Amino acid sequence: MVNRTPLFEMHQQAGAKIVDFAGWDMPIHYGSQIEEHHKVRQDAGMFDVSHMVAIDAKGEQAQTFLRYVLANDVAKLQQPGKALYGCMLNQQGGIIDDLITYYVSPNYYRIVVNAGTRDKDIAWLTKQAQDFKVELSVRTDLAILAVQGPQARTKAMQVFDTKQQEAIAALKPFHFLVSEDWLIARTGYTGEDGLEMMLPATKVVDYWQKFIAAGISPCGLGARDTLRLEAGLNLYGSDMDEAITPFESNLAWTVALEPNDREFIGRAALEKQLQQGVRRSLVGLVLTERGVLRAHQKVVAEGIGEGEITSGTFSPTLGCAIALARVPANMSAHCQVEIRDKLLPVRVIKPPFVRNGKKVFE
Amino acid sequence: MSNIPSELKYTSSHEWARLEEDGSVTIGITDHAQGLLGDVVFIELPEVDTEIEAGAEAGVVESVKAASDIYVPLSGTIIAVNENLMEKPEIVNSDPYGEGWMFCIQPLDEEDLNELMDADDYAEQVASEEH
């Protein structure tokens, strides 16, 4: 069975090329992926990400539960209205999924997980929740929109009333507000300013049209992928999976080992890995010669070892190919990538490549 | 629907071929092919004077999404390549049958062109791929 978001007909009307994404009919682009990419870097673009899954965790042990199933510590969220990115791990420290947790109110959190991992995430969370006083509910009644770009907030605000406008203008990064049945967060997956909004699915067609009227361009999942890769943000299933730990995925910053008496799933395995030494890391690659880096191409560092590209693309902002690659931890600053039987030199950098419209590595 | 000019010949791997007045044959990729690939960002073309056999790889088209080989539909010698595509590969998207041509070949045997599909056959193949 193929799933469709409430905006499917809007996408068709806008001339979208529709592809299957994790069992969903989603727009890959509406004409030109590169133009949509530039719109987000320079102005404002909008993505339908309603295939992603919002799950509410409510109950007196909601926080205790999330502190146990997530590698980041939701106790860092001291006030409602703040969000936190992190990973959900298995006992081996492997990544089941990456997600954002929103602290809505005392005893009430919301997490948003990936579409492709929906079923296993729900099964895992449900199983772990048995020992806690927490109720989980999958919010299939919600749609999710992301408006991203330097003009995204300003343009999106026009659609709301004065009071909401003031609240949105005052939002700090990784903060959110709840207004009636909406949750509006200053978060994103593009490396630009913007908002991610959860709203009733019944209202989303109306607001999609309002945001377009406010000058925000529809953008497909193709541009979303090149934008996130430029921003050095991992994609679950490509750059990380259940056989990979956060330490091997450039995500050590999302693992809260302090306080050291917090028990969480995967902790013992991560501590063991730290003791033994982390042997692989996720780095950025830049190809200055003509060609395009792609997932699964081989990375060769003479005298050090080999690795593999996990995501690669042509960067529309930089005009050259970029990639994320899993390589030996002691990687040199230069190495080679095998493209169609030829070895081409690439530079090794620490991601991101682009933030707020500009190149950020030397 | 993609554009399939009736005067051209086609391959199952989505190249088009046009017989020129001087007996040479111009090769490019079809509108359908560029639509599948999406934004083209980089093109590798053969070198002039290369002798090449029908069915061999003559180059590569890379889009944001994927890399796709270009196959030579008939044996012969490469006599010209479209250097403009080095700087402006996006022409392949905007004008696949015109300014977006890729290379020109002097065929060993002009008759080989008759082995290729005509527009109706190619349209049928495209339609079957879309369903």
Side-chain angles (χ1 to χ4, degrees), chain A residues 32-34 290 292 294 340, chain B residues 39 42-43 62-64 66:
Chain A
S32 167
Q33 175 176 338
I34 289 183
R290 295 157 47 78
V292 183
R294 308 271 182 202
R340 289 188 294 277
Chain B
D39 293 306
F42 166 68
I43 294 172
E62 296 239 30
S63 71
V64 176

Side-chain angles (χ1 to χ4, degrees), chain A residues 272-288:
Chain A
K272 193 174 162 203
Q273 188 177 47
L274 277 185
Q275 276 168 13
Q276 295 179 338
V278 182
R279 293 197 183 86
R280 297 180 294 177
S281 63
L282 192 71
V283 297
L285 302 180
V286 181
L287 175 71
T288 42

Side-chain angles (χ1 to χ4, degrees), chain A residues 17 19 28-29 31-35 222 226 290-294 297 312-314 316 339-340 342, chain B residues 35-36 38-45 57 60-69 85-87:
Chain A
K17 182 172 168 57
V19 297
I28 183 92
H29 62 70
S32 167
Q33 175 176 338
I34 289 183
E35 280 173 28
T226 50
R290 295 157 47 78
V292 183
L293 300 171
R294 308 271 182 202
Q297 286 169 348
T313 192
F314 175 81
I339 303 179
R340 289 188 294 277
K342 272 190 275 185
Chain B
L36 286 179
D39 293 306
V40 173
V41 294
F42 166 68
I43 294 172
E44 206 175 284
L45 292 171
E57 290 168 22
V60 181
V61 182
E62 296 239 30
S63 71
V64 176
K65 202 164 80 182
S68 177
D69 292 320
L85 299 183
M86 297 293 148
E87 290 304 314

